[in-house]
Amino acid sequence: MKAESGSMIVKRRSPLSVSAMRPLHPLLGSIESPTENITFDRTSHPEHHTVKVYWMESKKRGSELSKEELDEWLTTNRRSLPNRAFIQDQTRASGLFVYDIAIDLRTLFCVSTNKLEPELFPEIETKLREQGWTDGKNIFGNCLVCPKEKRDEIIPALAKAIINWRITSNQARTFSLMETVAIAINNDANQIAYAIRGELKDNTERPDAKPVIDETAHADIFVTPIANSYIAGSIGSVDALKKAEERLIKLISSFDYENQL
């Protein structure tokens, strides 16, 4: 993440790393045909995507209309300016997909105070200290640590956002429930890869694969009832996502942010 203010630039590496969504196995995902036309809809955040309109003067761009002038013109002419981008010839993916999220607890609630490569504007550092952030130290050096009462407020919201993350759209033709089949939580990336994976079948003439949820992996696994639709004999729980959320809250809250070294 990068922010500029005048001649000063601050940078901070995000404590959360989210992978691309990918097929659980190359044979468990596919691209559907034919292609379709879609719209990139930005109307839900109009303040983030400003529409600029200019006067035309002798086939050349003139001055930009002010908000008041634009509002008056739209009202007078009974027109609208949809904030959408039309995208042609797109394909749709289907199958079983997986993604990974890594959380760096060392920097989640700690912001470096290193002046050589600053992560904070001086005025923001002053503001954080006034709000109760204290001096600490992690593997990267001196830092400011978020107060516990603020962490207790943020952690449940963060866990809920991670567990219930979805690609959403207000376009009915592209709506998908994106139901979660299973979640694996652990501090070992290999164990997570073992827990939810695809395996080749050895009793078919053509290459084929099946999804596997391995309960023997050293990871906390939370399986939803939808898993039985894809894995024969799989038994899920209707409160699996809630339990995963609670487990995530416990793991993040138990980290000693003040005494990392």
Side-chain angles (χ1 to χ4, degrees):
M1 297 180 285
K2 176 179 178 181
E4 297 184 21
S5 177
S7 59
M8 184 177 182
I9 298 176
V10 296
K11 298 179 181 179
R12 171 169 162 79
R13 185 179 298 277
S14 173
L16 271 68
S17 180
V18 184
S19 77
M21 185 175 286
R22 63 194 187 280
L24 182 61
H25 186 278
L27 296 174
L28 294 175
S30 62
I31 299 295
E32 297 181 1
S33 61
T35 61
E36 61 180 306
N37 298 327
I38 64 173
T39 56
F40 176 48
D41 193 343
R42 295 165 289 187
T43 55
S44 58
H45 299 86
E47 66 280 1
H48 296 163
H49 305 279
T50 306
V51 176
K52 295 183 179 181
V53 180
Y54 297 86
W55 293 110
M56 294 300 294
E57 300 174 356
S58 301
K59 297 183 179 180
K60 293 182 179 180
R61 178 182 291 182
S63 59
E64 181 182 346
L65 272 70
S66 66
K67 184 179 184 304
E68 293 74 19
E69 291 174 326
L70 179 58
D71 290 345
E72 181 182 354
W73 187 91
L74 293 173
T75 303
T76 302
N77 294 274
R78 298 181 180 179
R79 299 293 296 274
S80 62
L81 288 174
N83 198 0
R84 301 181 183 91
F86 185 65
I87 309 173
Q88 293 181 298
D89 299 329
Q90 298 299 298
T91 55
R92 186 188 295 267
S94 63
L96 290 173
F97 292 83
V98 64
Y99 65 93
D100 303 303
I101 297 180
I103 306 175
D104 188 347
L105 296 177
R106 301 170 301 176
T107 61
L108 181 60
F109 291 108
C110 301
V111 183
S112 173
T113 54
N114 177 18
K115 303 301 182 184
L116 298 178
E117 196 172 5
E119 293 186 358
L120 293 168
F121 295 118
E123 58 271 21
I124 299 298
E125 181 177 342
T126 301
K127 182 178 179 180
L128 292 180
R129 291 183 184 276
E130 292 173 352
Q131 293 178 350
W133 289 58
T134 57
D135 288 300
K137 182 174 288 188
N138 59 17
I139 191 172
F140 304 105
N142 295 327
C143 60
L144 286 180
V145 182
C146 181
K148 185 178 186 306
E149 57 272 16
K150 190 65 176 178
R151 298 201 303 265
D152 292 342
E153 179 184 337
I154 295 173
I155 290 173
L158 176 61
K160 185 176 182 64
I162 290 174
I163 298 299
N164 296 283
W165 180 86
R166 296 288 188 278
I167 296 175
T168 60
S169 171
N170 61 1
Q171 301 290 316
R173 61 184 178 179
T174 60
F175 175 74
S176 172
L177 287 174
M178 293 187 66
E179 60 272 19
T180 300
V181 177
I183 295 175
I185 300 176
N186 195 266
N187 58 4
D188 187 334
N190 287 320
Q191 295 298 331
I192 291 178
Y194 304 155
I196 303 174
R197 64 183 190 271
E199 288 186 355
L200 282 173
K201 295 180 180 179
D202 58 3
N203 57 350
T204 58
E205 294 182 2
R206 299 180 60 184
D208 197 6
K210 62 179 181 180
V212 173
I213 299 176
D214 193 342
E215 300 283 355
T216 65
H218 297 165
D220 298 313
I221 304 175
F222 305 89
V223 183
T224 66
I226 198 71
N228 196 36
S229 301
Y230 305 100
I231 305 172
S234 179
I235 300 176
S237 170
V238 293
D239 60 350
L241 298 185
K242 184 63 178 178
K243 290 181 178 178
E245 190 177 320
E246 292 171 352
R247 178 58 178 161
L248 203 55
I249 291 173
K250 183 178 180 180
L251 288 174
I252 299 175
S253 300
S254 62
F255 188 78
D256 192 349
Y257 297 95
E258 284 84 3
N259 303 293
Q260 296 191 36
L261 297 179

